[in-house]
Amino acid sequence: MMTNPILIAVIVLGAIGLVSALILFVAAKRFAVHEDERIAKVQEVLPGANCGGCGFPGCAGFAAGCVKAADGGSIEGLLCPVGGQPVMEQVANILGMTAAATAPKVAVVRCNGTCENRPRIAEFDGVQSCRVQHMLGSGETACAYGCLGCGDCVDACQFDAIHINPQTGLPEVDEEKCTACGACVKACPRNIIEVRLKGPKNRRMVVLCNNKDKGAITRKACSVGCIACQKCVKVCKFEAITVENNLSYIDADKCKLCRKCEEECPQHTILAVNFPPRKPKAEKPAEPATEKPAVAKAEKPAVAKAEKPAEPATEKPAVAKVEKPAEPKAEKPAAKAAAAATATAPVVEPAKDQDKA
């Protein structure tokens, strides 16, 4: 009696399983999605980093995207940043396409706010995360746009291509290891890191600032911050520099690497990367003193100045001063009477006869 219910249950369950399997088989055949064999072949040549730098969710998604683009007639614009041009050429061969030459790129940290250039005004005692500090405020400095230096970009890099410099407190990119996958770009909460063209001979011009405040505020926060003076814009003949939101930016596609903007920047915000040191301007050598044959200068005979003849000394005739006759002083009445008496007295001559005797 007990065997029959168990046996019946087994039979019923077996029948249900068999029917379900038949239904699933028919549905699988009916709604089957045939995957292109090229997707698996493309995925095999990819590096398998699954970094997302290509813009797809992993290498499988990128492989499917390449096959779909090839069916559309071109895979231009698709790039595996880790594999680079060699991998893309293999992908193009599988798909029967031609891989367009792509310029290599590298991650660039657009901030020069070192400990010397951007002094600390506070100390953060909490979770050492750039994203956390950014959410709580401006961080330990007065610049609300600069690098926080906690290393979120370091943790995001799968290729050990970025590290924090303990002296400057800023992340530094190892160009030999960097694959330009963009993981560090996504990890930075302040959008300081940018993937840029490496440039010819790995040389490029970069504005090392991300501060969008006005010049006076920027200068107080950082001694090398961009103050939007637009001197770099005026000196650039190729229209490669623009100023927007109080911040200058160099277009790598237009820049001709003349370095004039670097010389013109008063804040030393623009940096020339991987350029040889400038040679000091050679002073023009002093021209050897070529002694010209001494030409005897014909001295002009000294022309004696005609002296004016000395005018004869015309002595002026001495003019005798006419002395005024002294006016007789008024004599006293007694003196006058005596004088009158002597004047009237007769003169008695001696007798001649007496003389003869």
Side-chain angles (χ1 to χ4, degrees):
M1 296 295 293
M2 295 296 295
T3 304
N4 292 335
I6 295 174
L7 184 59
I8 293 172
V10 171
I11 294 172
V12 170
L13 290 175
I16 293 174
L18 180 60
V19 172
S20 300
L22 291 174
I23 294 173
L24 291 174
F25 177 77
V26 173
K29 289 293 184 181
R30 177 69 177 174
F31 302 104
V33 178
H34 298 280
E35 187 179 63
D36 196 321
E37 296 179 355
R38 296 175 296 173
I39 295 177
K41 293 180 179 180
V42 170
Q43 190 172 354
E44 288 179 1
V45 300
L46 295 177
N50 293 315
C51 60
C54 55
F56 293 88
C59 293
F62 179 71
C66 288
V67 172
K68 184 177 180 181
D71 293 339
S74 174
I75 59 172
E76 185 177 356
L78 297 177
L79 174 67
C80 173
V82 179
Q85 188 67 21
V87 169
M88 291 308 300
E89 290 178 357
Q90 295 181 35
V91 172
N93 291 333
I94 294 172
L95 300 176
M97 308 291 293
T98 302
T102 56
K105 296 183 178 181
V106 68
V108 176
V109 180
R110 295 183 57 207
C111 179
N112 196 21
T114 63
C115 300
E116 296 179 357
N117 298 332
R118 187 174 48 128
R120 293 184 177 182
I121 60 173
E123 185 175 354
F124 181 78
D125 186 12
V127 179
Q128 292 300 308
S129 169
C130 297
R131 193 167 296 279
V132 173
Q133 284 197 30
H134 179 66
M135 292 174 63
L136 295 178
S138 62
E140 297 181 334
T141 67
C143 181
Y145 299 89
C147 177
L148 294 166
C150 295
D152 287 14
C153 52
V154 178
D155 297 336
C157 183
Q158 302 180 24
F159 308 98
D160 193 36
I162 188 167
H163 300 278
I164 299 293
N165 188 322
Q167 296 180 352
T168 62
L170 297 175
E172 294 181 353
V173 178
D174 186 342
E175 297 184 10
E176 298 298 328
K177 296 181 179 180
C178 180
T179 60
C181 66
C184 55
V185 177
K186 298 176 182 177
C188 181
R190 292 190 169 177
N191 300 320
I192 294 172
I193 305 177
E194 176 190 8
V195 174
R196 292 178 63 88
L197 294 173
K198 279 189 174 182
K201 297 182 180 180
N202 291 345
R203 298 174 183 175
R204 53 193 174 275
M205 303 296 298
V206 186
V207 178
L208 296 184
C209 184
N210 194 45
N211 197 320
K212 298 178 179 62
D213 288 329
K214 292 184 178 180
I217 301 175
T218 301
R219 196 193 297 271
K220 291 179 181 178
C222 181
S223 61
V224 294
C226 178
I227 57 175
C229 63
Q230 299 199 14
K231 289 185 177 181
C232 54
V233 178
K234 295 176 182 178
V235 78
C236 182
K237 298 180 180 180
F238 309 103
E239 299 182 353
I241 306 178
T242 55
V243 175
E244 186 177 354
N245 296 327
N246 302 316
L247 181 65
S248 59
Y249 181 81
I250 299 177
D251 188 343
D253 293 327
K254 296 181 179 180
C255 181
K256 303 301 180 183
L257 307 178
C258 66
R259 301 183 67 179
K260 290 184 178 179
C261 55
E262 180 191 19
E263 298 176 358
E264 194 70 17
C265 181
Q267 291 290 100
H268 306 291
T269 308
I270 301 176
L271 179 66
V273 182
N274 295 331
F275 280 81
R278 287 182 178 273
K279 295 181 180 179
K281 293 182 179 179
E283 298 181 358
K284 293 183 179 179
E287 295 182 359
T290 55
E291 295 183 358
K292 295 182 180 180
V295 179
K297 293 184 179 179
E299 296 182 357
K300 294 181 180 180
V303 179
K305 293 183 179 179
E307 296 182 356
K308 293 181 180 180
E311 296 180 357
T314 55
E315 295 182 357
K316 294 181 180 180
V319 179
K321 294 182 179 180
V322 179
E323 294 182 359
K324 293 181 180 181
E327 295 180 356
K329 293 182 181 180
E331 295 181 355
K332 292 182 180 181
K336 288 182 179 181
T342 56
T344 57
V347 177
V348 179
E349 293 181 0
K352 291 181 180 180
D353 293 338
Q354 293 178 359
D355 291 337
K356 289 178 179 181

